[in-house]
Amino acid sequence: MADDWRARGGPIAVLTGAGISTDSGIPDFRGPQGVWTKNPIAELTANYRDYLANPGLRERSWAARRDNPAWRAERNAGHRALVDLERSGRSVRILTQNIDRLHQKAGSSARKVLELHGNMFEVVCVRCGARGAMRETLDRVAAGEPDPPCRECGGILKSATVMFGQALDEDVIAHAALYARASEIFLAVGTSLRVHPVAGLCEVAVEAGVALVIVNNEPTPYDGLATEVVREPISEALLRIVAELIAVG
Ligand SMILES: [Zn+2]
């Protein structure tokens, strides 16, 4: 059985995608119940160029942000398993594609969590880069500003997330690659591994001799590179894997 990766000591990098948050009631994007599968129009609100060009789309985006299930979502057993792993003394870095901050809510150290696609609890001005709290901006929407402009410069505001058509923060992706290379185990959890450059982190890890373990309900383009592919439900799989890793020490 190819399970000797569990015996590897050393740092673990965990890449997480939407699949780890579905047990918290946050739908994923491309799965059978995914937001974009059920409502292709919703994907447009995530496209940066359209967002800049279309005030009506921005108004719908603010409404969608207000209604985002992440405001009410609670951490789940999968998030907690990763907290247990960190607290066992193991070096754990979480590289997340999620914008819901549930890893931090669950108790993972904020400095150990790299938000690859930003987060939905802040806003940023596309012109001057000023940042603010999403909640305050949504209060402005509720008070009658359908598309509130930046208070510093009047520019367009958006959530502090990476939309389609927008490049990832170079510093963030460079750090992610560094953690991928420096780990002994690279665990990819609940991500379809179809969005680049994040998906490419799997290759970065494998080329550095890191054991790639993929936990996902659906096949991914990187399954062939993986030391092990796990198809169990994500929370259950993480509970089991973390228990095994802690037992090995
Ligand atoms: Zn501004």
Side-chain angles (χ1 to χ4, degrees):
M1 213 175 132
D3 64 354
D4 55 352
W5 61 269
R6 291 179 181 80
R8 290 186 175 210
I12 301 177
V14 188
L15 171 65
T16 64
I20 196 172
S21 290
T22 51
D23 280 353
S24 294
I26 301 175
D28 62 12
F29 301 104
R30 295 187 173 80
Q33 296 301 314
V35 176
W36 293 336
T37 311
K38 295 207 293 192
N39 178 14
I41 298 298
E43 187 163 3
L44 287 178
T45 60
N47 181 303
Y48 186 54
R49 204 178 46 184
D50 292 343
Y51 183 84
L52 294 186
N54 187 338
L57 186 57
R58 293 200 293 277
E59 291 180 23
R60 289 200 295 281
S61 297
W62 291 114
R65 290 162 186 151
R66 179 196 62 208
D67 298 338
N68 195 308
W71 289 107
R72 308 179 298 277
E74 298 290 338
R75 63 191 186 162
N76 65 52
H79 298 106
R80 283 199 299 267
L82 294 179
V83 177
D84 291 343
L85 185 59
E86 184 187 333
R87 290 185 181 163
S88 77
R90 196 74 184 251
S91 168
V92 180
R93 293 281 180 178
I94 297 175
L95 321 174
T96 188
Q97 295 175 285
N98 299 335
I99 59 171
D100 55 35
R101 293 224 151 138
L102 285 177
H103 288 298
Q104 294 94 321
K105 250 191 179 175
S108 287
S109 305
R111 66 194 166 81
K112 300 284 179 73
V113 181
L114 202 55
E115 294 174 325
L116 300 167
H117 292 162
N119 77 84
M120 58 159 276
F121 300 102
E122 290 174 294
V123 296
V124 63
C125 171
V126 304
R127 188 191 290 162
C128 76
R131 285 185 172 248
M134 175 63 77
R135 222 177 258 286
E136 282 166 25
T137 311
L138 289 175
D139 286 345
R140 289 173 65 190
V141 177
E145 288 181 84
D147 179 27
C150 172
R151 284 200 157 126
E152 306 294 323
C153 78
I156 292 171
L157 291 179
K158 65 183 283 295
S159 64
T161 56
V162 178
M163 291 178 167
F164 277 94
Q166 247 193 319
L168 267 74
D169 184 309
E170 279 177 27
D171 192 47
V172 168
I173 195 71
H175 273 93
L178 200 68
Y179 297 139
R181 250 184 244 116
S183 60
E184 283 292 327
I185 301 167
F186 189 87
L187 200 55
V189 182
T191 164
S192 61
L193 297 175
R194 274 179 276 170
V195 178
H196 286 270
V198 170
L201 292 169
C202 292
E203 252 163 336
V204 168
V206 169
E207 279 167 14
V210 179
L212 171 65
V213 179
I214 294 176
V215 182
N216 198 48
N217 294 333
E218 317 278 327
T220 82
Y222 292 91
D223 289 0
L225 281 183
T227 303
E228 189 166 333
V229 176
V230 179
R231 289 266 183 267
E232 285 166 66
I234 286 165
S235 292
E236 286 168 35
L238 275 181
L239 283 169
R240 182 178 56 74
I241 289 171
V242 165
E244 289 165 355
L245 287 171
I246 290 175
V248 170

